[in-house]
Amino acid sequence: MTLALQTIISMAILAAVYILMGLGFAFILNLLGIFNLAHGSIFMLGGYVCYTLIKGAHLNNWVALPITIIVCGVFGILVERFLFRPFKGEFNRTTMVCIAISTILVTTSNLRAGTKQLAIPPFIPGTTGIGPLRVQMDQLFAFGLGLAVLALIMVFVKRSKWGAQMQAITQNREGAALQGIRFGRIAASACGVGFALAGLAGIFMGTLYYLSPFMGDAALVKVLMLVILAGLGSFGGIFVVGGILGAMYAGLPVVLPGAVVDATASILVLALLLIKPQGFFGHELTATPTSTGQEELEGIQRGQQAVLGRSAWTKYVTLGIVLVLVALLPAVIKSGYWLHILIQAFLYTVVASSFRAISISGQFSIAHAAFFGIGAFGTALPSRWLGWSPWGTLIIGGIAAAVLGGLLAFPFARLRTIYYAMGTLFLGVVIINLLGAGGKWTGSFSGLTGLKPLFGSRLTYYYFILAFLILSLIALRRFEFSRIGVTLSAVAQSHEVASSVGINERRYRILAVVFGCFFAGLAGALYAHYNMAAPTTSFGLANTLWIIMYVLVGGINNFWGPSVGVLVLLILPEFFRDLKGYLPYVSAVILLVIAFTLPEGLASLPGLIKQKLMGKPPAAMAGGRSGHKSLARESL
């Protein structure tokens, strides 16, 4: 009976935490159109601010609570005004900003408090109950306060003038503007409320469970589950789905291991998403075609021809010089550490470029690191348990990633814009959870170790993986500038007009996924044998986000963008490695600088300089890709 009571209470509390976070995320997404990937770090921030006020400033719990909520709310208003508002409707730049915010907050918490788990002192110590049935007073406090806040939020949304204006903007932004509703003020309020709710949820988590600098990662995944199942534009649906998720995550651990619970919940979400992609209570977003399919195809073909025919010999000479310099680097660099960094950079360049090969069709996959991991485990499992030669298992890694990518892409190919991103996010979670639930066969969440190396020398690895990089980039470039690549660009511009001129868009989308996953899998196979391990933690959501950052920082509309992004975000910070724990700040600053100054990424800088010197106004680069611009438009 006691276990049943505790389970029910845990269900109610987790549901309240998920609903608070989900409402905060939904306010920002529905009103600002921003996919706030920093929401988990705001959740973490609320818990740590409250803990610091109580333990560091010696404030009473009841004083620290409202101060923390106010701090989070004000922070949200400032973020909206200075970081979100300048990039309204620009998916790429707001994504960079969100990752930068998250990096700064997590790094700061890690430096100040370390990785040890902390707990906020109880607000109401002791227990209460009848006979043997005992309940912690803090649990009742969290449930009661959460319920009261949720009731106030619903009254605010349904009854207040600002709530009515928020709903009006969500349903029809242009119509709301015509009615004189000031979007800027409402947007700032929504962001402030969203951050405050996430902060309050973090306080509950820190009081009833624990605090950790990385606690926001798992919370963000659950919030995304909640919002997509409830449906975009639906606040009421969040309450229903939040209760269901709370029951699942509090009840299932009683009978199932934690990894199995996560995998089960994620699989359920994936199935529901495929059946009803608009969610239970929301509506599906659609795109409006802007031109005819034939015009799209002809325009892209003209751009490709211009790129291929413009100073080709100059580009080949430049690439040849770069290649020679990279090949000669080991003669100059005697440090084994720097060779290791360069080898990692080569592998991640292939992974990031293969992600871009998928993105040219307008698909924004948030599971690419998982397919990188499939390649690693595809070679590691037969090598480790069957004793096969690593040379024979390398290709297995690439084929496994390609086949699994194609099989999973088939049902996902009908999802659009943000639904595709959400679906692939859960797909990545499912893959990692299944690998973690594999026990000794997959090494659980620590991964497999003791793999056979390909070579005994790091220098040999350097030249072998450099050759792999060159061949991969040649294949990926030929794919992009082939007839298939042109067709994929047309699909990205508008899937409706592409279909109207006879293009089988689903087949082409699947082809892009298979091709991109194959190279990601090969890179993962090499990664596993180079490191003689396949750590599961290297293939999760955080790694996918950094792969995306490599592409966005370098320039998603330029083939060489991923290479430039890896150079800037993976290699450049190593020159500041003496900063040690402060090193992530360097990456965050780079993200913010690129977001504010170079919307098309660093790869566009030479063209901008040339235009400036020639006195021409900025123009889109010929042959550039617009798949993610299309995603931003459709998401809004």
Side-chain angles (χ1 to χ4, degrees):
M1 180 65 75
T2 302
L3 177 61
L5 179 62
Q6 289 293 336
T7 301
I8 292 172
I9 293 173
S10 297
M11 289 179 182
I13 292 172
L14 282 178
V17 170
Y18 294 155
I19 293 170
L20 285 170
M21 284 197 69
L23 282 174
F25 187 91
F27 274 128
I28 298 171
L29 178 61
N30 292 338
L31 273 79
L32 281 71
I34 291 175
F35 198 63
N36 183 23
L37 293 172
H39 208 66
S41 62
I42 305 303
F43 168 74
M44 177 273 300
L45 176 67
Y48 272 99
V49 169
C50 188
Y51 178 86
T52 303
L53 291 175
I54 294 171
K55 287 293 190 178
H58 305 291
L59 295 180
N60 182 276
N61 289 39
W62 300 99
V63 177
L65 176 64
I67 292 178
T68 300
I69 295 173
I70 293 172
V71 167
C72 291
V74 171
F75 181 59
I77 293 172
L78 294 175
V79 166
E80 190 282 328
R81 178 62 184 85
F82 296 105
L83 296 179
F84 287 166
R85 191 177 299 182
F87 310 133
K88 184 175 65 175
E90 298 187 50
F91 181 83
N92 298 350
R93 299 169 83 181
T94 54
T95 299
M96 285 191 277
V97 167
C98 288
I99 299 299
I101 293 172
S102 182
T103 301
I104 291 171
L105 294 179
V106 170
T107 302
T108 302
S109 298
N110 197 17
L111 290 173
R112 290 186 59 84
T115 56
K116 61 182 179 180
Q117 294 182 353
L118 305 174
I120 297 173
F123 282 79
I124 307 177
T127 61
T128 186
I130 301 175
L133 303 178
R134 312 301 297 176
V135 180
Q136 293 181 9
M137 293 296 294
D138 254 3
Q139 290 180 323
L140 295 178
F141 155 73
F143 177 71
L145 180 58
L147 199 62
V149 171
L150 291 175
L152 288 174
I153 290 297
M154 289 309 298
V155 171
F156 170 76
V157 172
K158 297 294 185 181
R159 302 294 181 184
S160 71
K161 179 180 177 181
W162 278 27
Q165 292 177 345
M166 286 183 178
Q167 293 186 74
I169 292 173
T170 299
Q171 295 170 6
N172 189 332
R173 182 172 300 181
E174 291 77 11
L178 292 174
Q179 294 297 320
I181 296 176
R182 297 175 59 185
F183 176 77
R185 183 179 62 179
I186 299 298
S189 302
C191 203
V193 171
F195 277 42
L197 291 176
L200 178 60
I203 294 173
F204 288 163
M205 185 62 68
T207 302
L208 302 175
Y209 299 97
Y210 63 89
L211 294 174
S212 166
F214 307 101
M215 62 189 277
D217 294 344
L220 176 62
V221 172
K222 293 179 176 64
V223 166
L224 295 175
M225 282 186 185
L226 173 59
V227 172
I228 198 66
L229 284 180
L232 300 181
S234 172
F235 292 109
I238 290 176
F239 285 81
V240 178
V241 179
I244 295 173
L245 289 182
M248 288 177 56
Y249 279 100
L252 289 180
V254 177
V255 294
L256 295 174
V260 177
V261 171
D262 287 334
T264 302
S266 300
I267 291 172
L268 177 61
V269 172
L270 282 173
L272 294 174
L273 185 63
L274 291 172
I275 296 170
K276 197 174 177 62
Q278 71 272 26
F280 290 115
F281 307 97
H283 58 276
E284 188 169 6
L285 300 176
T286 57
T288 302
T290 57
S291 64
T292 67
Q294 190 62 35
E295 288 173 345
E296 297 285 1
L297 282 171
E298 291 176 355
I300 294 169
Q301 287 174 321
R302 286 193 298 269
Q304 300 288 24
Q305 293 167 359
V307 170
L308 294 174
R310 186 177 56 229
S311 305
W313 68 270
T314 304
K315 295 180 180 179
Y316 290 138
V317 170
T318 303
L319 289 174
I321 293 173
V322 171
L323 179 59
V324 170
L325 292 176
V326 173
L328 294 176
L329 276 178
V332 180
I333 300 174
K334 303 299 182 181
S335 169
Y337 176 79
W338 271 105
L339 280 181
H340 169 73
I341 294 299
L342 290 171
I343 290 171
Q344 298 280 15
F346 294 161
L347 291 172
Y348 274 105
T349 299
V350 174
V351 177
S353 297
S354 66
F355 169 84
R356 187 177 176 279
I358 298 174
S359 75
I360 62 176
S361 66
Q363 301 177 105
F364 200 86
S365 172
I366 311 186
H368 206 59
F371 290 102
F372 181 47
I374 290 297
F377 278 90
T379 188
L381 290 172
S383 177
R384 178 73 170 80
W385 298 114
L386 300 179
W388 293 3
S389 167
W391 288 104
T393 60
L394 283 177
I395 191 65
I396 294 177
I399 294 174
V403 171
L404 185 61
L407 290 174
L408 295 174
F410 180 77
F412 277 86
R414 74 184 184 92
L415 298 181
R416 305 293 178 201
T417 61
I418 197 171
Y419 299 101
Y420 183 87
M422 296 291 292
T424 56
L425 184 150
F426 297 133
L427 174 61
V429 171
V430 170
I431 291 173
I432 297 303
N433 285 335
L434 289 177
L435 290 174
K440 71 171 185 177
W441 300 105
T442 59
S444 189
F445 284 101
S446 298
L448 285 177
T449 56
L451 302 182
K452 298 177 182 178
L454 296 173
F455 307 104
S457 166
R458 183 169 286 171
L459 183 62
T460 307
Y461 267 114
Y462 179 90
Y463 284 112
F464 182 81
I465 296 178
L466 175 60
F468 167 69
L469 168 65
I470 295 170
L471 293 175
S472 298
L473 291 180
I474 291 173
L476 290 166
R477 185 170 176 82
R478 286 186 65 86
F479 176 79
E480 178 175 345
F481 288 91
S482 68
R483 174 70 183 180
I484 294 175
V486 173
T487 305
L488 287 171
S489 294
V491 171
Q493 290 287 335
S494 174
H495 64 87
E496 293 178 344
V497 295
S499 298
S500 71
V501 295
I503 295 175
N504 187 335
E505 54 150 335
R506 171 177 279 195
R507 183 176 65 187
Y508 279 98
R509 288 180 186 270
I510 294 172
L511 178 61
V513 172
V514 170
F515 194 78
C517 287
F518 176 74
F519 284 95
L522 283 179
L526 286 172
Y527 178 90
H529 286 293
Y530 168 68
N531 291 287
M532 292 184 289
T536 310
T537 53
S538 296
F539 312 121
L541 175 60
N543 297 77
T544 291
L545 294 179
W546 278 106
I547 290 170
I548 294 172
M549 287 304 99
Y550 298 147
V551 178
L552 295 184
V553 166
I556 197 167
N557 295 325
N558 189 298
F559 177 80
W560 301 107
S563 304
V564 176
V566 171
L567 173 67
V568 172
L569 287 179
L570 198 154
I571 296 179
L572 182 60
E574 288 298 324
F575 289 98
F576 303 92
R577 64 181 183 273
D578 290 340
L579 296 175
K580 297 181 180 179
Y582 296 90
L583 188 59
Y585 288 128
V586 176
S587 299
V589 170
I590 291 172
L591 289 176
L592 291 175
V593 170
I594 299 300
F596 275 92
T597 60
L598 293 170
E600 294 296 323
L602 279 167
S604 67
L605 186 58
L608 293 175
I609 294 174
K610 182 178 179 180
Q611 290 171 358
K612 187 71 174 178
L613 293 175
M614 296 178 65
K616 295 181 178 180
M621 298 296 291
R625 301 297 185 183
S626 56
H628 289 275
K629 292 180 182 178
S630 176
L631 173 63
R633 289 197 303 270
E634 294 179 30
S635 298
L636 293 174

